[in-house]
Amino acid sequence: MTSDLSDLLRLILNLIRFGSIAEVDYDAQKVRVLVGKNLTDWRPWATQRAGDTQTWWPPTKGEQVILFSPEGDFNQSILFPAVYSEHAKPPSTNPAHHTTKYPDGAIIQYDHEAHALTAILPSGSSALVKADKVTSDAKETLCTGNLTVAKNLIVNGMSSLNAGMAVLPGTDGAAASIQGKLNVSDDVIAKGISLTGHKHPVIALGADSGVAK
């Protein structure tokens, strides 16, 4: 009777246990978990979605997890990540933050009090958005670095260039084609000749101006 009660108590205690991941098989999507001094067999971990939509966010070695074992049997267990530990502290303790921190130092965070979405990527990183159409619906957009447009740039509103403009000729040989009036507040220089400073000699009435016809 005592043995039966001990076995029953052990099974009850093993229903839900804390442990740490000892080994990970990413191809098989299974782990071995160290529970106390006991090492489980290879067991699957729970994920957010595994149907028509799938997610992949595998646990890592040393991560503290919860082991749920039906009937107290580790051989039927499934693990649920994760629990903070001294070696893996939360990236934020602000209740307004939804934060993900990656091993390379990248941080994706939304602050619902400040209404601010932040993505901080480490040096040498890149970001890719691939779609037929991307719309940025913002009152203001600030680009602090260089911007390269591989194809045509179409601007339907006013363009303000505050630090000059350098234009190279296109495939038709023209550097710029302007339809309509061009207003210049200072001067136009063509091959070193000033439009406002260039002077023409006075030509007698009826004489040939010398301009080719």
Side-chain angles (χ1 to χ4, degrees):
M1 178 66 70
T2 301
S3 177
D4 292 341
L5 289 176
S6 297
D7 289 342
L8 179 60
L9 179 61
R10 177 180 57 81
L11 293 175
I12 292 175
L13 292 175
N14 285 343
L15 286 173
I16 302 176
R17 295 288 298 270
F18 291 100
S20 60
I21 296 176
E23 300 177 56
V24 184
D25 187 334
Y26 296 107
D27 292 331
Q29 301 90 55
K30 292 184 178 181
V31 297
R32 299 186 74 184
V33 180
L34 187 63
V35 182
K37 296 182 179 180
N38 299 316
L39 184 63
T40 70
D41 196 1
W42 291 101
R43 301 305 306 157
W45 67 77
T47 187
Q48 291 178 307
R49 297 295 301 274
D52 291 339
T53 300
Q54 306 91 34
T55 56
W56 174 251
W57 202 349
T60 56
K61 186 176 179 180
E63 188 170 357
Q64 188 167 322
V65 296
I66 301 172
L67 199 67
F68 176 70
S69 305
E71 301 178 4
D73 184 4
F74 285 164
N75 292 325
Q76 302 182 54
S77 63
I78 184 171
L79 82 91
F80 293 86
V83 181
Y84 296 122
S85 66
E86 287 297 319
H87 302 290
K89 297 182 179 180
S92 174
T93 56
N94 189 327
H97 289 175
H98 181 199
T99 307
T100 302
K101 182 180 179 181
Y102 296 90
D104 63 352
I107 296 177
I108 308 297
Q109 178 176 277
Y110 182 69
D111 183 336
H112 67 252
E113 287 186 350
H115 315 299
L117 176 64
T118 304
I120 301 175
L121 305 182
S123 177
S125 60
S126 62
L128 172 66
V129 177
K130 190 173 183 179
D132 289 339
K133 184 178 181 180
V134 176
T135 300
S136 175
D137 187 1
K139 292 182 179 179
E140 292 187 15
T141 300
L142 175 64
C143 179
T144 60
N146 296 329
L147 177 64
T148 300
V149 179
K151 292 188 178 181
N152 298 329
L153 176 63
I154 300 173
V155 180
N156 294 324
M158 182 65 179
S159 296
S160 297
L161 305 176
N162 300 324
M165 178 176 61
V167 183
L168 297 177
T171 55
D172 62 352
S177 297
I178 300 174
Q179 298 179 7
K181 183 169 61 175
L182 176 63
N183 292 324
V184 180
S185 63
D186 193 340
D187 196 359
V188 176
I189 308 297
K191 290 187 177 182
I193 300 175
S194 167
L195 178 62
T196 59
H198 179 62
K199 298 180 180 180
H200 292 272
V202 177
I203 302 173
L205 182 63
D208 189 352
S209 65
V211 178
K213 298 180 179 180

